[in-house]
Amino acid sequence: MPVGTISSSQDTVGIAVVNYQVPVLESQEEVLENCRNIASFVEGTKMGYPGLDIIVFPEYSTQGFHPTKWNELCTTIPGPETDIFAEACRKNKVWGVFSITGEINPKGNPYNCFVLIDDQGEIRMNYHKINPWVPKEPWYPGSETMVVEGPKGLKIGANICYDSNMPEIVRDTVMKGAELVIRIQGYMYPSKEQQIKLASIRAWENLTYFAVANMAGRDKVYSYFGHSNIVNFDGAILAECGSSPDEVTYAELSISAIRNARKNWTAENHLFNLTHRGYSAVENGVADCPYSFYKTWTEDPKKAKEICENLTRTTPEQVEEREKETV
């Protein structure tokens, strides 16, 4: 894809990612004032990049992650925060990705949410983070990946921060049809180098556009490294911010180019090759899953957990239980 433009066309989706300044918020009133600031970013970015079709804000950009008051700042979806975002999208005729941390959950702890709003102000997706970051994040885990048709027909999938460290989530999202996987994150030092590289890896192994919006600056606990970026489906970085708060960068994504690659690429077509193993030697290739752990996980989740724990560790609760049993 060409880079350096502020335009788009019928075949391309213009996308912007924001290195949003991490907010430190103490009340619902401060959260709503921050939402209005985010809305001003939508307006200003559309003015500066007239080709803009979708703008992406990081995880925790709405409510922050207050170490003691996080539960007091939770809300509903829809709610007053998404109402402000919806009006900004409708007014500026752009789609937007926003973070809600968290959404009140009648089953237990709140959800960590990726909210996609279209250019008419309608909520098109509310994805719940499947893999909250342990041991710090208190969010109730989601249970399904999500994909919807976005601007100009480009299919969009959602990831939140630690989700993308799990290759299974991105692969499942792409296998549901995603052509652009958007990762909203609140990642801090010292994980900068790993997380920047991860975006290109996930794009390359899944033949997908990959866009990341990350926090920048410091809150009460962490320093965030920014480097929001937009990656081509071949793993090449199309645009990338630095580490400064409130940077915005932009690229255009060709719809026909990614569909052509998925249809016609051979050796680099990791999606096709996954279920057509050895098709140069075997007619139509072999589709059977050769991965014993995934078979076990599907058929016997408890056994899969035991395998994992034998390789790694148990939870603190399990350690305490075993210590009680030995007393």
Side-chain angles (χ1 to χ4, degrees), residues 15-41:
I15 180 170
V17 291
V18 182
N19 258 17
Y20 197 70
Q21 167 75 53
V22 55
V24 180
L25 307 170
E26 303 282 343
S27 67
Q28 291 282 0
E29 291 74 18
E30 290 181 4
V31 169
L32 294 181
E33 182 59 32
N34 183 53
C35 291
R36 287 185 280 271
N37 188 59
I38 290 172
S40 74
F41 260 83

Side-chain angles (χ1 to χ4, degrees), residues 110-141:
Y111 293 112
N112 182 334
C113 304
F114 170 123
V115 180
L116 175 65
I117 299 177
D118 67 19
D119 56 358
Q120 302 301 308
E122 298 296 324
I123 295 175
R124 298 291 297 275
M125 182 194 296
N126 178 15
Y127 165 76
H128 297 155
K129 189 175 188 177
I130 291 176
N131 274 275
W133 185 56
V134 296
K136 291 297 183 181
E137 287 191 322
W139 314 119
Y140 195 97

Side-chain angles (χ1 to χ4, degrees), residues 44-57:
T45 304
K46 179 63 176 180
M47 291 174 64
Y49 300 89
L52 180 68
D53 294 301
I54 183 168
I55 185 169
V56 184
F57 292 88

